[in-house]
Amino acid sequence: MNTINNSRRNFIKTAGTLAIGTTLPISLVELAFAESSQNFTFAYISDAHIQHIKDNRFVRNWDRGLIRAVAETNLLTPKPDFVIFGGDLAQLGSKPELDHGAEILSALHGNVHYVMGEHDYYLDLGEYWGKLFGPQYYSFDHKGVHFVVLNSIKTYDDWTFKRWPTAEQRMLEMADLDNPNGSPFMVGEEQRVWLKDDLDKIDKDTPVVVFSHSPLQKIYKGWNFWTEDADQVQALLQPFSKVSVIYGHVHQIQYNQIGNISFNSVMATAWPWPYPQAYAQAEQYLPKLTVPMNRADPFFDRDATGWQLINMANGNLDLNYTLYNNTSRIVRYNTDKKRPEDVAYQDEKARIVPQTHY
């Protein structure tokens, strides 16, 4: 679960900009800015993967993660201006899963904006999601920042409409991990046309924050950490001076910089992403990211789930990770190098053995 602090003016650069206690209640400490009326926070929760078993029974670990995230969000001080849910509320997109997740999220205080994940979409192509939560893509403005929500998990019509005997089979294929029968995600032409029209109305110096479920970049197609038309979406964002893309889906810590666009993942409330043994040598096939990084340690079963505190100052993001079973980490935007950096990044020669496997 993630909280975000914003000021359009430069923030005071201290290590303690945001602080979190080890026990409830949780407090978000906000510094005084030159234009205090422009300060705001918002909370981010993602990837709950509520899974229905039978009747009123659900996989307990996963709905407990979402329930705790909601409770802790409601205890934040100051209260967030709004909350983002980043997608994959359900595991198999069923009405009981979405209803159960919606009931849990209904306890959140204040306004909530929703992003759709592939696990929410591929059973009925978002029909029931729309009844619960509204449009699949939209934008809004808040205190000088332009926010865009995209449905980034669409795919080719042939895969969606012609390949599967039932909707349930289609959902199972897209939900399976490391499945060669899956298909690359995309935003699609309809949304790109809409996005261009939406951004044409915005001053190029306005900070822009895009919420998507899949990363709007091409990381690794084998795990579907990939958006097929990412280059075209990025081209629409390049004219803006400050752009941040925040995404879920990957269940791990990721950050990257492509041109003027900063990319940062949020962590899951369900489970962390472990790289399977079958892919132990996949690293040599991965494209080199613009910004190298250490991933969370897959040998800790709750690593990459926990608190992520995000300070957004003048359109750039600093991320403070409080991990359950691993060392806390900070990813901070380096204004000189114009990219995010892990302040405790480990050189390859210094890494422990498990890290070199993945």
Side-chain angles (χ1 to χ4, degrees):
M1 197 276 288
N2 313 280
T3 62
I4 299 177
N5 170 278
N6 175 77
S7 171
R8 295 191 65 189
R9 296 183 65 87
N10 289 334
F11 63 100
I12 299 173
K13 293 182 179 179
T14 68
T17 303
L18 289 164
I20 181 172
T22 56
T23 59
L24 296 179
I26 302 298
S27 293
L28 175 65
V29 180
E30 182 179 42
L31 294 182
F33 291 92
E35 294 180 8
S36 59
S37 63
Q38 294 300 304
N39 296 355
F40 69 92
T41 65
F42 64 91
Y44 207 116
I45 303 170
S46 193
D47 289 270
H49 291 269
I50 301 297
Q51 185 161 12
H52 186 220
I53 300 173
K54 185 180 180 181
D55 300 326
N56 65 345
R57 291 188 296 133
F58 297 84
V59 176
R60 182 177 175 84
N61 284 356
W62 302 347
D63 69 357
R64 292 293 106 184
L66 183 59
I67 289 168
R68 175 167 177 171
V70 168
E72 292 182 347
T73 299
N74 288 338
L75 289 169
L76 288 172
T77 304
K79 299 295 184 186
D81 283 29
F82 56 87
V83 181
I84 299 291
F85 182 80
D88 282 353
L89 179 60
Q91 173 65 7
L92 296 175
S94 68
K95 187 174 183 294
E97 291 173 352
L98 290 170
D99 281 342
H100 187 48
E103 181 180 14
I104 296 170
L105 291 173
S106 71
L108 284 165
H109 300 164
N111 294 329
V112 185
H113 299 280
Y114 297 92
V115 181
M116 175 177 285
E118 79 275 15
H119 290 259
D120 308 312
Y121 180 73
Y122 277 97
L123 182 64
D124 63 0
L125 305 183
E127 180 180 351
Y128 191 61
W129 171 278
K131 292 178 181 178
L132 291 174
F133 304 121
Q136 297 180 15
Y137 57 94
Y138 54 95
S139 65
F140 62 97
D141 296 289
H142 188 75
K143 293 186 177 180
V145 180
H146 187 65
F147 293 93
V148 177
V149 176
L150 294 176
N151 175 358
S152 64
I153 49 76
K154 291 192 170 185
T155 195
Y156 295 102
D157 286 348
D158 179 72
W159 193 97
T160 302
F161 298 107
K162 300 178 181 179
R163 188 168 300 187
W164 312 111
T166 65
E168 289 77 11
Q169 183 62 34
R170 178 179 61 200
M171 180 71 258
L172 286 170
E173 294 294 345
M174 192 59 95
D176 199 10
L177 299 177
D178 303 308
N179 183 7
N181 291 326
S183 187
F185 297 139
M186 63 183 66
V187 170
E189 183 178 4
E190 177 185 316
Q191 282 185 88
R192 295 198 310 270
V193 170
W194 170 86
L195 179 61
K196 182 181 185 304
D197 181 64
D198 179 75
L199 294 177
D200 282 346
K201 304 168 188 173
I202 307 300
D203 186 273
K204 297 302 183 286
D205 290 327
T206 300
V208 174
V209 179
V210 180
F211 302 124
S212 63
H213 184 67
S214 69
L216 297 179
Q217 47 184 326
K218 296 177 178 179
I219 299 175
Y220 184 56
K221 191 177 285 189
W223 297 317
N224 221 345
F225 291 4
W226 185 278
T227 302
E228 193 85 326
D229 53 358
D231 296 343
Q232 294 162 276
V233 176
Q234 291 169 20
L236 297 174
L237 298 170
Q238 287 294 346
F240 292 85
S241 56
K242 301 287 184 181
V243 182
S244 298
V245 174
I246 306 176
Y247 59 95
H249 181 60
V250 299
H251 294 222
Q252 62 178 243
I253 297 169
Q254 290 182 351
Y255 55 95
N256 197 19
Q257 186 76 25
I258 301 176
N260 64 314
I261 308 171
S262 297
F263 296 85
N264 291 280
S265 68
V266 296
M267 295 184 292
T269 65
W271 69 82
W273 181 272
Y275 284 38
Q277 284 290 341
Y279 285 81
Q281 301 303 317
E283 183 180 1
Q284 61 183 302
Y285 302 112
L286 293 176
K288 278 192 175 294
L289 292 175
T290 308
V291 181
M293 65 194 71
N294 295 157
R295 72 168 308 278
D297 192 334
F299 290 89
F300 292 134
D301 61 1
R302 296 301 294 178
D303 200 28
T305 60
W307 276 92
Q308 181 179 355
L309 306 178
I310 304 179
N311 183 317
M312 188 177 125
N314 204 23
N316 294 323
L317 300 182
D318 291 341
L319 299 95
N320 299 260
Y321 296 93
T322 301
L323 304 175
Y324 289 132
N325 288 340
N326 208 340
T327 304
S328 295
R329 297 166 63 189
I330 298 173
V331 175
R332 185 168 290 152
Y333 189 85
N334 186 319
T335 54
D336 294 329
K337 297 181 180 178
K338 300 185 183 306
R339 67 187 189 190
E341 291 184 340
D342 187 335
V343 299
Y345 183 81
Q346 292 177 297
D347 184 84
E348 289 187 12
K349 297 178 181 177
R351 296 181 194 175
I352 60 175
V353 173
Q355 290 174 301
T356 65
H357 290 174
Y358 295 88

